[in-house]
Amino acid sequence: MSKRSGILEFAVLGLLRESPMHGYELRKRLNTSLGVFRAFSYGSLYPCLKTLVTLGWLIEEPAVDSGPPAAPLAGRRAKIVYRLTAAGKEHFEELLAHSGPDAWEDEHFAARFAFFGQTSKDVRMRVLEGRRSRLEERLEKMRASLVRTRERLDDYTLELQRHGMESVEREVRWLNELIETERAGRVERPVDERDDNDNTNQENGGRPEARGTA
Amino acid sequence: MSKRSGILEFAVLGLLRESPMHGYELRKRLNTSLGVFRAFSYGSLYPCLKTLVTLGWLIEEPAVDSGPPAAPLAGRRAKIVYRLTAAGKEHFEELLAHSGPDAWEDEHFAARFAFFGQTSKDVRMRVLEGRRSRLEERLEKMRASLVRTRERLDDYTLELQRHGMESVEREVRWLNELIETERAGRVERPVDERDDNDNTNQENGGRPEARGTA
DNA sequence: TCGTTCATGTAACGCGTTACATGATTGC
DNA sequence: GCAATCATGTAACGCGTTACATGAACGA
């Protein structure tokens, strides 16, 4: 209906899935833990939260402020803590699994990757491979346009293109490593129903060997 | 006044400086020659052109269609060719030289770099160095946030951060090479007043040696 | 008590896109 | 003749930001 948003909505749901939070804290985690790839401001976050509430993905809670025990009374502007509803959880799963055409773009991909810890292995594979083929398309276009326009571009433009292509190629190699690592990975932890907080996901969950590759 | 735009405006002026063009062609060059880093649509391009005309940077010309000699008459919807005015040229120089706080962001930088062929050496140096220090700031922040949050992030988030940092570090190395090359560069071609088309800018204008570095 | 950080919001604007509407020219 | 592509535009919307307004809690 009104005011749907892409990546911000997704990130909010993802963070809230880990644990309930209020807006301020949410924003900080958006810009630090996750935020390497993007910064959000209150002007977008708070309206987004409201929308998600009206959609039923989130509920507001009056913030049982467990910190300072004094002055727990009356009219103090309570922090609003947002908690993911069951429907919200479901919706988030859908978003994770969904492979829309724009799902492989830079920021969409980064956002999904950031929540791989909460994603099943097959979905992870699909996302990684989707991203890779998206990048390979992009490389094709770049090469084609280079062939078409080479000779009538100055050195700087050329250098810019070359550096751009190299960056993309580098990301493809990175994805290749990740995909290999995933393939080698064993156990499929069902992810569902385990009430929070055991985020220690050991047993070779992430990227083992394959480092100092340059 | 109304409808000022950043990078699109800049790119249009830059392309038009090389030679007059109509909107359609302009858009194609935006998305091929230059367009590795960004794609624009008509919905933004045409309004932008109008604005630039009212500002006096551009003038519309009725397109003396030199191609098909037949049917040069009456009411055919003429292509509109846009040409940079003297004021527009001046404005573009200002934009090139200007070092606003946002001038070092990803897309701003890429756009400026794409027009280095029309930029004097000292400005090129300022831009490259500005970009580099901007990236170094960014690296500082990333490192700091890593120190703060390490240990309570899952492997995937960590890997994402690591890859992000490596990308930035790589660009810094790239800039270092470019800056060195610039320093080694000799002649300062005044750039001004040479009526178009001798774009052959030889004499070691771009990036000589320093390749296969990985 | 005074500045800083925490905490929540709103209004206006920025900078673009998508989808639509329109028509001329070219090549088969 | 008909499709493709060239060529120009407009209206509505998307997804965010900046700047502003407000106020409580905390530390020195």
mmCIF file of all heavy atoms in Angstrom, chain A residues 20-26 46 59-68 73-83, chain C residues 6-9, chain D residues 23-26:
data_model
loop_
_atom_site.group_PDB
_atom_site.id
_atom_site.type_symbol
_atom_site.label_atom_id
_atom_site.label_comp_id
_atom_site.label_asym_id
_atom_site.label_seq_id
_atom_site.Cartn_x
_atom_site.Cartn_y
_atom_site.Cartn_z
ATOM 1 N N PRO A 20 14.619 -7.522 19.997
ATOM 2 C CA PRO A 20 13.844 -6.277 19.971
ATOM 3 C C PRO A 20 14.739 -5.083 20.303
ATOM 4 O O PRO A 20 15.725 -5.223 21.022
ATOM 5 C CB PRO A 20 12.805 -6.485 21.078
ATOM 6 C CG PRO A 20 12.746 -7.955 21.288
ATOM 7 C CD PRO A 20 14.119 -8.459 21.017
ATOM 8 N N MET A 21 14.386 -3.959 19.768
ATOM 9 C CA MET A 21 15.170 -2.744 19.980
ATOM 10 C C MET A 21 14.290 -1.519 19.811
ATOM 11 O O MET A 21 13.241 -1.594 19.202
ATOM 12 C CB MET A 21 16.284 -2.664 18.944
ATOM 13 C CG MET A 21 17.619 -3.195 19.374
ATOM 14 S SD MET A 21 18.799 -3.047 18.036
ATOM 15 C CE MET A 21 18.193 -4.280 16.912
ATOM 16 N N HIS A 22 14.783 -0.381 20.295
ATOM 17 C CA HIS A 22 14.099 0.871 19.967
ATOM 18 C C HIS A 22 14.828 1.552 18.812
ATOM 19 O O HIS A 22 15.944 1.171 18.457
ATOM 20 C CB HIS A 22 13.995 1.785 21.177
ATOM 21 C CG HIS A 22 15.301 2.086 21.833
ATOM 22 N ND1 HIS A 22 15.739 1.395 22.946
ATOM 23 C CD2 HIS A 22 16.262 2.973 21.550
ATOM 24 C CE1 HIS A 22 16.917 1.868 23.315
ATOM 25 N NE2 HIS A 22 17.260 2.824 22.483
ATOM 26 N N GLY A 23 14.185 2.571 18.275
ATOM 27 C CA GLY A 23 14.645 3.178 17.036
ATOM 28 C C GLY A 23 16.075 3.673 17.074
ATOM 29 O O GLY A 23 16.856 3.424 16.144
ATOM 30 N N TYR A 24 16.410 4.345 18.118
ATOM 31 C CA TYR A 24 17.734 4.943 18.212
ATOM 32 C C TYR A 24 18.835 3.897 18.091
ATOM 33 O O TYR A 24 19.782 4.044 17.326
ATOM 34 C CB TYR A 24 17.848 5.665 19.553
ATOM 35 C CG TYR A 24 19.034 6.579 19.675
ATOM 36 C CD1 TYR A 24 18.981 7.889 19.221
ATOM 37 C CD2 TYR A 24 20.209 6.140 20.270
ATOM 38 C CE1 TYR A 24 20.052 8.740 19.349
ATOM 39 C CE2 TYR A 24 21.290 6.984 20.396
ATOM 40 C CZ TYR A 24 21.210 8.282 19.939
ATOM 41 O OH TYR A 24 22.281 9.116 20.069
ATOM 42 N N GLU A 25 18.674 2.853 18.876
ATOM 43 C CA GLU A 25 19.672 1.793 18.858
ATOM 44 C C GLU A 25 19.718 1.114 17.490
ATOM 45 O O GLU A 25 20.789 0.823 16.961
ATOM 46 C CB GLU A 25 19.330 0.757 19.934
ATOM 47 C CG GLU A 25 20.432 -0.245 20.159
ATOM 48 C CD GLU A 25 20.039 -1.275 21.212
ATOM 49 O OE1 GLU A 25 18.995 -1.080 21.861
ATOM 50 O OE2 GLU A 25 20.767 -2.269 21.359
ATOM 51 N N LEU A 26 18.555 0.914 16.945
ATOM 52 C CA LEU A 26 18.419 0.309 15.629
ATOM 53 C C LEU A 26 19.248 1.074 14.613
ATOM 54 O O LEU A 26 20.001 0.509 13.821
ATOM 55 C CB LEU A 26 16.939 0.369 15.243
ATOM 56 C CG LEU A 26 16.354 -0.638 14.270
ATOM 57 C CD1 LEU A 26 16.876 -2.024 14.519
ATOM 58 C CD2 LEU A 26 14.833 -0.606 14.422
ATOM 59 N N TYR A 46 12.275 6.295 11.298
ATOM 60 C CA TYR A 46 11.057 6.335 12.103
ATOM 61 C C TYR A 46 9.785 6.158 11.278
ATOM 62 O O TYR A 46 8.914 5.362 11.646
ATOM 63 C CB TYR A 46 11.025 7.612 12.949
ATOM 64 C CG TYR A 46 11.938 7.539 14.145
ATOM 65 C CD1 TYR A 46 13.014 8.393 14.285
ATOM 66 C CD2 TYR A 46 11.726 6.587 15.144
ATOM 67 C CE1 TYR A 46 13.862 8.322 15.385
ATOM 68 C CE2 TYR A 46 12.573 6.505 16.241
ATOM 69 C CZ TYR A 46 13.644 7.372 16.359
ATOM 70 O OH TYR A 46 14.466 7.292 17.446
ATOM 71 N N ILE A 59 5.405 -4.884 16.348
ATOM 72 C CA ILE A 59 4.568 -4.246 17.351
ATOM 73 C C ILE A 59 5.413 -3.351 18.230
ATOM 74 O O ILE A 59 6.577 -3.629 18.488
ATOM 75 C CB ILE A 59 3.834 -5.265 18.251
ATOM 76 C CG1 ILE A 59 4.803 -6.371 18.661
ATOM 77 C CG2 ILE A 59 2.615 -5.833 17.570
ATOM 78 C CD1 ILE A 59 4.268 -7.224 19.771
ATOM 79 N N GLU A 60 4.782 -2.264 18.673
ATOM 80 C CA GLU A 60 5.458 -1.369 19.602
ATOM 81 C C GLU A 60 5.233 -1.879 21.015
ATOM 82 O O GLU A 60 4.143 -2.338 21.356
ATOM 83 C CB GLU A 60 4.885 0.039 19.501
ATOM 84 C CG GLU A 60 4.961 0.642 18.122
ATOM 85 C CD GLU A 60 4.462 2.080 18.116
ATOM 86 O OE1 GLU A 60 3.866 2.505 19.127
ATOM 87 O OE2 GLU A 60 4.677 2.774 17.111
ATOM 88 N N GLU A 61 6.272 -1.757 21.835
ATOM 89 C CA GLU A 61 6.129 -2.116 23.243
ATOM 90 C C GLU A 61 6.630 -0.965 24.097
ATOM 91 O O GLU A 61 7.573 -0.276 23.710
ATOM 92 C CB GLU A 61 6.912 -3.382 23.553
ATOM 93 C CG GLU A 61 6.311 -4.610 22.906
ATOM 94 C CD GLU A 61 7.071 -5.863 23.308
ATOM 95 O OE1 GLU A 61 8.193 -5.734 23.824
ATOM 96 O OE2 GLU A 61 6.531 -6.958 23.092
ATOM 97 N N PRO A 62 6.009 -0.761 25.265
ATOM 98 C CA PRO A 62 6.294 0.415 26.095
ATOM 99 C C PRO A 62 7.662 0.408 26.754
ATOM 100 O O PRO A 62 7.914 1.222 27.627
ATOM 101 C CB PRO A 62 5.200 0.365 27.160
ATOM 102 C CG PRO A 62 4.211 -0.627 26.674
ATOM 103 C CD PRO A 62 4.938 -1.581 25.812
ATOM 104 N N ALA A 63 8.545 -0.499 26.372
ATOM 105 C CA ALA A 63 9.902 -0.494 26.901
ATOM 106 C C ALA A 63 9.967 -0.666 28.401
ATOM 107 O O ALA A 63 10.067 0.290 29.163
ATOM 108 C CB ALA A 63 10.627 0.794 26.516
ATOM 109 N N VAL A 64 9.918 -1.883 28.852
ATOM 110 C CA VAL A 64 10.103 -2.173 30.267
ATOM 111 C C VAL A 64 11.563 -1.900 30.589
ATOM 112 O O VAL A 64 12.421 -2.766 30.494
ATOM 113 C CB VAL A 64 9.774 -3.646 30.576
ATOM 114 C CG1 VAL A 64 9.614 -3.835 32.069
ATOM 115 C CG2 VAL A 64 8.550 -4.093 29.830
ATOM 116 N N ASP A 65 11.827 -0.676 30.959
ATOM 117 C CA ASP A 65 13.198 -0.212 31.078
ATOM 118 C C ASP A 65 13.906 -0.870 32.248
ATOM 119 O O ASP A 65 13.788 -0.474 33.397
ATOM 120 C CB ASP A 65 13.191 1.313 31.252
ATOM 121 C CG ASP A 65 14.454 1.915 30.655
ATOM 122 O OD1 ASP A 65 15.466 1.195 30.583
ATOM 123 O OD2 ASP A 65 14.401 3.083 30.273
ATOM 124 N N SER A 66 14.674 -1.881 31.970
ATOM 125 C CA SER A 66 15.268 -2.682 33.035
ATOM 126 C C SER A 66 16.505 -2.022 33.637
ATOM 127 O O SER A 66 17.043 -2.487 34.620
ATOM 128 C CB SER A 66 15.665 -4.055 32.487
ATOM 129 O OG SER A 66 16.465 -3.874 31.336
ATOM 130 N N GLY A 67 16.958 -0.955 33.071
ATOM 131 C CA GLY A 67 18.174 -0.316 33.543
ATOM 132 C C GLY A 67 18.036 0.391 34.887
ATOM 133 O O GLY A 67 18.161 -0.236 35.933
ATOM 134 N N PRO A 68 17.773 1.683 34.877
ATOM 135 C CA PRO A 68 17.695 2.458 36.121
ATOM 136 C C PRO A 68 16.408 2.156 36.876
ATOM 137 O O PRO A 68 15.323 2.431 36.364
ATOM 138 C CB PRO A 68 17.707 3.911 35.631
ATOM 139 C CG PRO A 68 17.202 3.856 34.233
ATOM 140 C CD PRO A 68 17.515 2.502 33.695
ATOM 141 N N LEU A 73 7.924 5.740 36.896
ATOM 142 C CA LEU A 73 6.512 6.088 36.900
ATOM 143 C C LEU A 73 6.008 6.788 35.645
ATOM 144 O O LEU A 73 6.624 6.812 34.602
ATOM 145 C CB LEU A 73 6.194 7.007 38.091
ATOM 146 C CG LEU A 73 6.796 6.763 39.444
ATOM 147 C CD1 LEU A 73 6.073 7.648 40.443
ATOM 148 C CD2 LEU A 73 6.661 5.295 39.837
ATOM 149 N N ALA A 74 4.928 7.428 35.916
ATOM 150 C CA ALA A 74 4.042 8.151 35.021
ATOM 151 C C ALA A 74 4.552 8.606 33.645
ATOM 152 O O ALA A 74 4.912 7.816 32.789
ATOM 153 C CB ALA A 74 3.496 9.363 35.770
ATOM 154 N N GLY A 75 4.573 9.918 33.456
ATOM 155 C CA GLY A 75 4.526 10.498 32.118
ATOM 156 C C GLY A 75 5.809 10.548 31.332
ATOM 157 O O GLY A 75 5.837 11.127 30.267
ATOM 158 N N ARG A 76 6.887 9.939 31.795
ATOM 159 C CA ARG A 76 8.135 10.021 31.061
ATOM 160 C C ARG A 76 7.977 9.421 29.659
ATOM 161 O O ARG A 76 7.474 8.322 29.480
ATOM 162 C CB ARG A 76 9.224 9.266 31.823
ATOM 163 C CG ARG A 76 8.758 7.900 32.262
ATOM 164 C CD ARG A 76 9.793 7.219 33.123
ATOM 165 N NE ARG A 76 11.080 7.164 32.429
ATOM 166 C CZ ARG A 76 12.086 6.438 32.873
ATOM 167 N NH1 ARG A 76 11.958 5.745 33.983
ATOM 168 N NH2 ARG A 76 13.221 6.422 32.223
ATOM 169 N N ARG A 77 8.412 10.189 28.725
ATOM 170 C CA ARG A 77 8.319 9.697 27.346
ATOM 171 C C ARG A 77 9.025 8.351 27.225
ATOM 172 O O ARG A 77 10.246 8.286 27.193
ATOM 173 C CB ARG A 77 8.951 10.714 26.401
ATOM 174 C CG ARG A 77 9.222 10.142 25.030
ATOM 175 C CD ARG A 77 8.811 11.047 23.909
ATOM 176 N NE ARG A 77 9.751 12.128 23.674
ATOM 177 C CZ ARG A 77 9.915 12.711 22.496
ATOM 178 N NH1 ARG A 77 9.180 12.321 21.473
ATOM 179 N NH2 ARG A 77 10.755 13.702 22.348
ATOM 180 N N ALA A 78 8.265 7.302 27.178
ATOM 181 C CA ALA A 78 8.840 5.960 27.175
ATOM 182 C C ALA A 78 9.568 5.688 25.876
ATOM 183 O O ALA A 78 9.146 6.104 24.805
ATOM 184 C CB ALA A 78 7.745 4.930 27.383
ATOM 185 N N LYS A 79 10.660 4.983 25.990
ATOM 186 C CA LYS A 79 11.267 4.450 24.786
ATOM 187 C C LYS A 79 10.275 3.500 24.148
ATOM 188 O O LYS A 79 9.570 2.762 24.831
ATOM 189 C CB LYS A 79 12.515 3.643 25.132
ATOM 190 C CG LYS A 79 13.684 4.445 25.607
ATOM 191 C CD LYS A 79 14.923 3.598 25.547
ATOM 192 C CE LYS A 79 15.678 3.638 26.859
ATOM 193 N NZ LYS A 79 16.931 2.879 26.816
ATOM 194 N N ILE A 80 10.256 3.472 22.870
ATOM 195 C CA ILE A 80 9.400 2.528 22.185
ATOM 196 C C ILE A 80 10.255 1.389 21.666
ATOM 197 O O ILE A 80 11.129 1.598 20.823
ATOM 198 C CB ILE A 80 8.683 3.193 21.003
ATOM 199 C CG1 ILE A 80 7.848 4.363 21.506
ATOM 200 C CG2 ILE A 80 7.821 2.184 20.281
ATOM 201 C CD1 ILE A 80 7.241 5.178 20.411
ATOM 202 N N VAL A 81 9.987 0.227 22.193
ATOM 203 C CA VAL A 81 10.750 -0.925 21.729
ATOM 204 C C VAL A 81 9.939 -1.665 20.669
ATOM 205 O O VAL A 81 8.752 -1.906 20.849
ATOM 206 C CB VAL A 81 11.097 -1.867 22.889
ATOM 207 C CG1 VAL A 81 11.619 -3.187 22.363
ATOM 208 C CG2 VAL A 81 12.123 -1.215 23.788
ATOM 209 N N TYR A 82 10.594 -1.970 19.580
ATOM 210 C CA TYR A 82 9.913 -2.673 18.490
ATOM 211 C C TYR A 82 10.274 -4.144 18.518
ATOM 212 O O TYR A 82 11.435 -4.508 18.677
ATOM 213 C CB TYR A 82 10.294 -2.049 17.151
ATOM 214 C CG TYR A 82 9.764 -0.646 16.997
ATOM 215 C CD1 TYR A 82 10.518 0.442 17.408
ATOM 216 C CD2 TYR A 82 8.494 -0.418 16.480
ATOM 217 C CE1 TYR A 82 10.026 1.731 17.289
ATOM 218 C CE2 TYR A 82 7.995 0.863 16.355
ATOM 219 C CZ TYR A 82 8.772 1.935 16.762
ATOM 220 O OH TYR A 82 8.282 3.212 16.648
ATOM 221 N N ARG A 83 9.256 -4.952 18.355
ATOM 222 C CA ARG A 83 9.470 -6.394 18.338
ATOM 223 C C ARG A 83 8.851 -6.986 17.074
ATOM 224 O O ARG A 83 7.771 -6.581 16.656
ATOM 225 C CB ARG A 83 8.833 -7.037 19.581
ATOM 226 C CG ARG A 83 8.918 -8.562 19.599
ATOM 227 C CD ARG A 83 8.145 -9.147 20.778
ATOM 228 N NE ARG A 83 8.684 -8.686 22.055
ATOM 229 C CZ ARG A 83 9.717 -9.269 22.675
ATOM 230 N NH1 ARG A 83 10.274 -10.324 22.142
ATOM 231 N NH2 ARG A 83 10.148 -8.801 23.816
ATOM 232 P P DC C 6 24.581 8.129 22.652
ATOM 233 O OP1 DC C 6 25.091 6.772 22.955
ATOM 234 O OP2 DC C 6 24.517 8.612 21.268
ATOM 235 O "O5'" DC C 6 23.115 8.265 23.291
ATOM 236 C "C5'" DC C 6 22.893 7.794 24.626
ATOM 237 C "C4'" DC C 6 21.429 7.987 24.999
ATOM 238 O "O4'" DC C 6 21.099 9.388 24.878
ATOM 239 C "C3'" DC C 6 20.443 7.236 24.085
ATOM 240 O "O3'" DC C 6 19.490 6.588 24.885
ATOM 241 C "C2'" DC C 6 19.860 8.344 23.223
ATOM 242 C "C1'" DC C 6 19.884 9.528 24.179
ATOM 243 N N1 DC C 6 19.893 10.848 23.494
ATOM 244 C C2 DC C 6 18.892 11.787 23.769
ATOM 245 O O2 DC C 6 17.999 11.496 24.586
ATOM 246 N N3 DC C 6 18.911 12.987 23.151
ATOM 247 C C4 DC C 6 19.890 13.270 22.281
ATOM 248 N N4 DC C 6 19.873 14.477 21.702
ATOM 249 C C5 DC C 6 20.941 12.345 21.995
ATOM 250 C C6 DC C 6 20.897 11.156 22.614
ATOM 251 P P DA C 7 18.611 5.478 24.416
ATOM 252 O OP1 DA C 7 17.961 4.824 25.565
ATOM 253 O OP2 DA C 7 19.440 4.687 23.499
ATOM 254 O "O5'" DA C 7 17.514 6.257 23.562
ATOM 255 C "C5'" DA C 7 16.360 6.742 24.225
ATOM 256 C "C4'" DA C 7 15.528 7.586 23.296
ATOM 257 O "O4'" DA C 7 16.161 8.845 23.039
ATOM 258 C "C3'" DA C 7 15.244 7.057 21.896
ATOM 259 O "O3'" DA C 7 14.053 6.264 21.938
ATOM 260 C "C2'" DA C 7 15.040 8.336 21.079
ATOM 261 C "C1'" DA C 7 15.374 9.444 22.046
ATOM 262 N N9 DA C 7 16.101 10.566 21.445
ATOM 263 C C8 DA C 7 17.384 10.592 20.963
ATOM 264 N N7 DA C 7 17.754 11.749 20.455
ATOM 265 C C5 DA C 7 16.629 12.544 20.608
ATOM 266 C C6 DA C 7 16.355 13.889 20.278
ATOM 267 N N6 DA C 7 17.231 14.709 19.689
ATOM 268 N N1 DA C 7 15.119 14.366 20.578
ATOM 269 C C2 DA C 7 14.236 13.555 21.160
ATOM 270 N N3 DA C 7 14.375 12.277 21.527
ATOM 271 C C4 DA C 7 15.607 11.831 21.221
ATOM 272 P P DT C 8 13.289 5.879 20.627
ATOM 273 O OP1 DT C 8 12.272 4.893 21.041
ATOM 274 O OP2 DT C 8 14.281 5.557 19.603
ATOM 275 O "O5'" DT C 8 12.535 7.211 20.195
ATOM 276 C "C5'" DT C 8 11.485 7.698 20.993
ATOM 277 C "C4'" DT C 8 10.823 8.849 20.289
ATOM 278 O "O4'" DT C 8 11.785 9.900 20.068
ATOM 279 C "C3'" DT C 8 10.275 8.507 18.900
ATOM 280 O "O3'" DT C 8 8.873 8.682 18.896
ATOM 281 C "C2'" DT C 8 10.988 9.487 17.967
ATOM 282 C "C1'" DT C 8 11.417 10.588 18.913
ATOM 283 N N1 DT C 8 12.580 11.378 18.402
ATOM 284 C C2 DT C 8 12.416 12.717 18.191
ATOM 285 O O2 DT C 8 11.384 13.308 18.420
ATOM 286 N N3 DT C 8 13.511 13.370 17.690
ATOM 287 C C4 DT C 8 14.740 12.812 17.385
ATOM 288 O O4 DT C 8 15.658 13.496 16.941
ATOM 289 C C5 DT C 8 14.859 11.399 17.637
ATOM 290 C C7 DT C 8 16.149 10.687 17.356
ATOM 291 C C6 DT C 8 13.781 10.750 18.128
ATOM 292 P P DG C 9 7.986 8.031 17.839
ATOM 293 O OP1 DG C 9 6.578 8.149 18.253
ATOM 294 O OP2 DG C 9 8.530 6.729 17.502
ATOM 295 O "O5'" DG C 9 8.244 9.029 16.614
ATOM 296 C "C5'" DG C 9 7.296 9.996 16.516
ATOM 297 C "C4'" DG C 9 7.866 11.314 16.078
ATOM 298 O "O4'" DG C 9 9.279 11.448 16.117
ATOM 299 C "C3'" DG C 9 7.569 11.647 14.637
ATOM 300 O "O3'" DG C 9 6.197 11.982 14.543
ATOM 301 C "C2'" DG C 9 8.471 12.875 14.431
ATOM 302 C "C1'" DG C 9 9.535 12.710 15.532
ATOM 303 N N9 DG C 9 10.912 12.820 15.078
ATOM 304 C C8 DG C 9 11.890 11.861 15.080
ATOM 305 N N7 DG C 9 13.048 12.282 14.652
ATOM 306 C C5 DG C 9 12.825 13.615 14.338
ATOM 307 C C6 DG C 9 13.714 14.600 13.829
ATOM 308 O O6 DG C 9 14.907 14.500 13.542
ATOM 309 N N1 DG C 9 13.066 15.818 13.659
ATOM 310 C C2 DG C 9 11.739 16.057 13.938
ATOM 311 N N2 DG C 9 11.285 17.290 13.710
ATOM 312 N N3 DG C 9 10.900 15.155 14.430
ATOM 313 C C4 DG C 9 11.505 13.959 14.593
ATOM 314 P P DG D 23 8.855 20.576 24.611
ATOM 315 O OP1 DG D 23 7.450 20.789 24.953
ATOM 316 O OP2 DG D 23 9.843 21.668 24.692
ATOM 317 O "O5'" DG D 23 9.451 19.415 25.523
ATOM 318 C "C5'" DG D 23 9.061 18.059 25.341
ATOM 319 C "C4'" DG D 23 10.220 17.184 25.696
ATOM 320 O "O4'" DG D 23 11.260 17.259 24.708
ATOM 321 C "C3'" DG D 23 10.937 17.534 27.022
ATOM 322 O "O3'" DG D 23 10.771 16.467 27.909
ATOM 323 C "C2'" DG D 23 12.392 17.670 26.606
ATOM 324 C "C1'" DG D 23 12.418 16.816 25.353
ATOM 325 N N9 DG D 23 13.627 16.964 24.550
ATOM 326 C C8 DG D 23 14.092 18.065 23.866
ATOM 327 N N7 DG D 23 15.239 17.867 23.264
ATOM 328 C C5 DG D 23 15.561 16.546 23.569
ATOM 329 C C6 DG D 23 16.680 15.762 23.204
ATOM 330 O O6 DG D 23 17.649 16.083 22.528
ATOM 331 N N1 DG D 23 16.605 14.475 23.718
ATOM 332 C C2 DG D 23 15.563 14.010 24.497
ATOM 333 N N2 DG D 23 15.640 12.745 24.926
ATOM 334 N N3 DG D 23 14.502 14.716 24.844
ATOM 335 C C4 DG D 23 14.570 15.978 24.352
ATOM 336 P P DA D 24 10.832 16.609 29.462
ATOM 337 O OP1 DA D 24 9.437 16.635 29.932
ATOM 338 O OP2 DA D 24 11.771 17.697 29.808
ATOM 339 O "O5'" DA D 24 11.487 15.225 29.899
ATOM 340 C "C5'" DA D 24 11.031 14.020 29.302
ATOM 341 C "C4'" DA D 24 12.183 13.025 29.278
ATOM 342 O "O4'" DA D 24 13.175 13.444 28.327
ATOM 343 C "C3'" DA D 24 12.889 12.904 30.626
ATOM 344 O "O3'" DA D 24 13.098 11.537 30.892
ATOM 345 C "C2'" DA D 24 14.208 13.658 30.396
ATOM 346 C "C1'" DA D 24 14.459 13.418 28.922
ATOM 347 N N9 DA D 24 15.257 14.454 28.260
ATOM 348 C C8 DA D 24 14.904 15.761 28.073
ATOM 349 N N7 DA D 24 15.804 16.458 27.418
ATOM 350 C C5 DA D 24 16.816 15.550 27.160
ATOM 351 C C6 DA D 24 18.054 15.663 26.499
ATOM 352 N N6 DA D 24 18.489 16.787 25.942
ATOM 353 N N1 DA D 24 18.826 14.557 26.421
ATOM 354 C C2 DA D 24 18.376 13.421 26.971
ATOM 355 N N3 DA D 24 17.234 13.188 27.607
ATOM 356 C C4 DA D 24 16.488 14.312 27.675
ATOM 357 P P DA D 25 13.691 11.063 32.277
ATOM 358 O OP1 DA D 25 13.094 9.746 32.546
ATOM 359 O OP2 DA D 25 13.583 12.158 33.258
ATOM 360 O "O5'" DA D 25 15.217 10.861 31.894
ATOM 361 C "C5'" DA D 25 15.583 9.753 31.084
ATOM 362 C "C4'" DA D 25 17.086 9.601 31.100
ATOM 363 O "O4'" DA D 25 17.678 10.745 30.440
ATOM 364 C "C3'" DA D 25 17.701 9.527 32.492
ATOM 365 O "O3'" DA D 25 18.542 8.379 32.509
ATOM 366 C "C2'" DA D 25 18.448 10.856 32.662
ATOM 367 C "C1'" DA D 25 18.714 11.285 31.225
ATOM 368 N N9 DA D 25 18.659 12.720 30.967
ATOM 369 C C8 DA D 25 17.673 13.589 31.341
ATOM 370 N N7 DA D 25 17.862 14.823 30.930
ATOM 371 C C5 DA D 25 19.065 14.755 30.238
ATOM 372 C C6 DA D 25 19.809 15.727 29.550
ATOM 373 N N6 DA D 25 19.446 17.005 29.457
ATOM 374 N N1 DA D 25 20.963 15.326 28.974
ATOM 375 C C2 DA D 25 21.323 14.043 29.060
ATOM 376 N N3 DA D 25 20.696 13.038 29.670
ATOM 377 C C4 DA D 25 19.567 13.471 30.246
ATOM 378 P P DC D 26 19.633 8.144 33.646
ATOM 379 O OP1 DC D 26 19.991 6.711 33.584
ATOM 380 O OP2 DC D 26 19.157 8.748 34.908
ATOM 381 O "O5'" DC D 26 20.893 8.973 33.126
ATOM 382 C "C5'" DC D 26 21.464 8.642 31.855
ATOM 383 C "C4'" DC D 26 22.867 9.229 31.775
ATOM 384 O "O4'" DC D 26 22.772 10.645 31.468
ATOM 385 C "C3'" DC D 26 23.643 9.116 33.075
ATOM 386 O "O3'" DC D 26 24.972 8.723 32.752
ATOM 387 C "C2'" DC D 26 23.575 10.539 33.668
ATOM 388 C "C1'" DC D 26 23.495 11.396 32.421
ATOM 389 N N1 DC D 26 22.773 12.703 32.573
ATOM 390 C C2 DC D 26 23.268 13.845 31.895
ATOM 391 O O2 DC D 26 24.287 13.750 31.216
ATOM 392 N N3 DC D 26 22.599 15.010 32.019
ATOM 393 C C4 DC D 26 21.487 15.085 32.757
ATOM 394 N N4 DC D 26 20.850 16.263 32.832
ATOM 395 C C5 DC D 26 20.974 13.945 33.439
ATOM 396 C C6 DC D 26 21.641 12.778 33.326
#
